[in-house]
Amino acid sequence: ISSDSGNTWALGTTPSPSVNWHGIAMSANGVNQVASRRGSDLYVSNDSGNTWTATETQVTHQRWWTGVDIDELGTTYAACLEHGTIYESLNSGLGWSTMLNNNNWYSTAMSSDGTKQTSVVNGGQIYLSCDSGLSWSAKASNRNWVGIAMSEDGVKQTAVSNPGNIYVSLDSGNTWSSKDSNRNWKAIAISSDGVKQTAVSNPGNIYVSSDSGNTWNSKDENRNWNAITMSSDGVNQSAVVENGLIYISTDSGNTWSTATNTNRNWQSIA
């Protein structure tokens, strides 16, 4: 965990064995966090990531969890299952209920109030909800979707496929248009207003956009990038490399420097 914009990092109290972590998300103030482990449980933290506990193990135990997300206040949580369903919690991870039928769910995102939610299927379609997950509709075509992110109000959304292109929606996920080139996209992050966006490929470069995902420019070097996150204004960004380092940017993703000199098999960052 880091409390200084990613410059320094300390080990939180994680369950043992500390392996197979896949996804992580946090509330706007960073106090509430949720993390997923493949073949294990969902874990929640209510103290900014310092301590972690398994949540409702009778529902979440020993499943192949993938993407997770949290609303701004840290109340509504969503978690995806590979070859399973999507679970939602409305009480900060204390209790969970299913939202969608079994599928190869890979990533999920929600608006700041949790009303708009979008989840993607690896090898399937994009599914969106405008009523906090009560009902869902399928959008876009079948692709190998691996990442989804949206603006604070949920109007601007961007999804990535691997291999494939970047796809942008400006109408809350109802219609999508292809952007940039076919790459091994891995993850996507968006500022609160949706203007600044950063995508990473594995293997490949970091790509940034300053026009709501319409055009993209390559940054940094070819690495095995696994995940990307940014501050609400998009100025501070952090990215992780598989079997590599953590990198940070303080200029909206234009230049990058190492934040830690310890190689690890980083999978996700929030």
Side-chain angles (χ1 to χ4, degrees):
I1 60 174
S2 173
S3 58
D4 59 1
S5 302
N7 286 284
T8 59
W9 293 81
L11 181 65
T13 304
T14 57
S16 180
S18 54
V19 293
N20 293 332
W21 297 105
H22 186 85
I24 190 166
M26 66 173 62
S27 57
N29 62 7
V31 173
N32 296 92
Q33 303 185 21
V34 60
S36 61
R37 290 178 67 187
R38 296 172 68 85
S40 184
D41 301 313
L42 290 174
Y43 286 81
V44 295
S45 172
N46 298 315
D47 59 2
S48 303
N50 287 284
T51 59
W52 295 82
T53 57
T55 170
E56 197 174 321
T57 55
Q58 66 268 31
V59 172
T60 66
H61 185 54
Q62 292 184 349
R63 297 173 183 264
W64 289 96
W65 298 104
T66 51
V68 292
D69 200 19
I70 299 181
D71 70 350
E72 184 177 39
L73 296 178
T75 302
T76 302
Y77 294 11
C80 298
L81 273 178
E82 184 179 9
H83 306 301
T85 185
I86 294 181
Y87 283 81
E88 182 181 47
S89 173
L90 301 178
N91 54 8
S92 301
L94 295 176
W96 296 80
S97 59
T98 58
M99 290 195 294
L100 281 163
N101 294 328
N102 285 4
N103 219 321
N104 193 21
W105 302 106
Y106 207 86
S107 182
T108 187
M110 66 178 68
S111 57
S112 62
D113 62 1
T115 302
K116 295 179 181 178
Q117 300 185 23
T118 302
S119 300
V120 299
V121 176
N122 189 269
Q125 291 178 273
I126 295 175
Y127 289 77
L128 60 102
S129 172
C130 295
D131 53 11
S132 301
L134 293 176
S135 60
W136 296 79
S137 57
K139 304 293 180 178
S141 301
N142 285 8
R143 295 186 172 89
N144 293 323
W145 303 108
V146 294
I148 178 72
M150 67 173 67
S151 58
E152 187 178 59
D153 58 8
V155 174
K156 295 178 181 179
Q157 302 189 18
T158 300
V160 293
S161 61
N162 184 4
N165 290 39
I166 295 175
Y167 291 81
V168 172
S169 173
L170 301 177
D171 58 3
S172 301
N174 285 284
T175 60
W176 297 83
S177 57
S178 174
K179 304 294 180 180
D180 202 74
S181 302
N182 188 316
R183 308 182 197 278
N184 294 318
W185 299 110
K186 188 69 174 182
I188 177 76
I190 295 181
S191 60
S192 60
D193 61 4
V195 174
K196 295 179 181 178
Q197 304 188 16
T198 301
V200 296
S201 57
N202 183 355
N205 290 47
I206 295 177
Y207 292 80
V208 299
S209 172
S210 57
D211 57 5
S212 302
N214 188 52
T215 59
W216 295 82
N217 296 305
S218 173
K219 303 294 179 180
D220 203 74
E221 300 178 14
N222 188 318
R223 309 181 198 273
N224 293 326
W225 301 103
N226 252 354
I228 178 75
T229 189
M230 66 172 64
S231 57
S232 60
D233 60 6
V235 174
N236 293 308
Q237 303 188 18
S238 298
V240 295
V241 175
E242 181 181 7
N243 295 315
L245 306 177
I246 297 176
Y247 292 78
I248 61 172
S249 171
T250 57
D251 59 3
S252 303
N254 286 286
T255 59
W256 294 82
S257 59
T258 57
T260 174
N261 57 7
T262 303
N263 277 32
R264 302 186 191 278
N265 190 19
W266 303 109
Q267 294 296 309
S268 186
I269 190 168

